Amino acid sequence: MPSFDTVLEADLVEVKNAVEQVAREIGTRFDFKGTSAAIELKDKEKEITLFGDADFQITQVNDVLLGKLVKRGVDVRFLDAGKVEKIGGDKVKQVVKVKNGVSTEDGKKIQQVLKGSKLKVQGAIQGDAVRVTGAKRDDLQAAMALIKSELKDLPLSFNNFRD
C-alpha cells in the first residue's frame, strides 16, 4: 500500500551554523560591547540559550537569531521560546527549544484532520512521525495538501513516500 511519513524535523546543521553566526555578530556589534550578551547551543538537548543584561538585550539577541535562521532557510516555527529568567545580579537568560519530532497531541490532530476528511487514508502515530497510508497515490497527495492547509502552525514535512 502507498504511504508517506509526516515529520517535524529542523535542519540542525543550519541551526548550529546560524547560532555560530549570531555568536560572531554579538562579538563584533558595538551595542553588545562590554555586556554579557551571549548565545549557546546544546546539541544533545536541542536547546539554544540566550544570555543578556536585560530583557531588552535578550530581545535583540533573539531578533538577530531569527534573522540568521531565516537567511539559512530554517523555519522559525521550529523554535519554542521559554520565559526570560533571572540568573543572578542583573543577568538574565532565555532557553529556546528546537522542536524535533511530532508530539502525540500534534499526531492526534493530524489523525483527526484525516478522519474528518472524506479521503480514504489512515494515519498511525509511529514514534515521532505519523505514517499515512492509503489505497491510491492521489488520495495521499490530497492528504498532504489537506494536512499542510489545516495545520499551518506546524512546519511539517513529508518523507518516505512509498508506492
Side-chain angles (χ1 to χ4, degrees):
M1 275 181 86
S3 67
F4 67 87
D5 290 341
T6 305
V7 294
L8 188 76
E9 293 176 342
D11 188 355
L12 295 176
V13 173
E14 292 297 334
V15 171
K16 182 178 179 184
N17 290 339
V19 168
E20 289 172 358
Q21 281 184 332
V22 171
R24 273 195 303 272
E25 186 168 328
I26 287 171
T28 58
R29 268 182 51 171
F30 179 75
D31 54 344
F32 290 134
K33 292 273 189 209
T35 65
S36 65
I39 188 166
E40 176 181 291
L41 174 70
K42 295 179 182 166
D43 280 332
K44 296 203 179 6
E45 294 94 31
K46 297 179 181 84
E47 289 181 347
I48 302 168
T49 308
L50 311 175
F51 298 98
D53 289 335
D55 291 354
F56 175 71
Q57 202 168 51
I58 293 282
T59 307
Q60 284 183 316
V61 174
N62 196 13
D63 289 344
V64 173
L65 174 65
L66 294 179
K68 297 295 182 188
L69 287 171
V70 168
K71 281 185 181 177
R72 295 199 145 273
V74 177
D75 197 331
V76 295
R77 294 179 292 174
F78 282 113
L79 300 181
D80 186 20
K83 292 182 182 176
V84 177
E85 308 167 1
K86 282 192 171 283
I87 55 172
D90 295 342
K91 312 288 188 248
V92 291
K93 78 172 185 174
Q94 181 180 25
V95 177
V96 179
K97 292 190 184 292
V98 180
K99 295 180 193 172
N100 204 7
V102 178
S103 67
T104 55
E105 60 194 39
D106 292 335
K108 288 178 183 178
K109 284 182 192 174
I110 292 170
Q111 284 181 321
Q112 292 299 321
V113 166
L114 291 174
K115 283 182 184 176
S117 72
K118 300 298 181 205
L119 298 173
K120 295 181 180 176
V121 293
Q122 296 84 34
I125 300 173
Q126 295 184 341
D128 56 358
V130 177
R131 170 133 326 143
V132 180
T133 57
K136 297 180 188 171
R137 174 189 276 180
D138 293 341
D139 289 342
L140 292 180
Q141 290 173 340
M144 283 182 188
L146 179 70
I147 291 170
K148 279 268 192 204
S149 67
E150 291 291 320
L151 300 170
K152 290 185 175 133
D153 57 332
L154 296 174
L156 295 169
S157 59
F158 307 104
N159 65 12
N160 206 12
F161 193 95
R162 301 193 184 225
D163 218 359

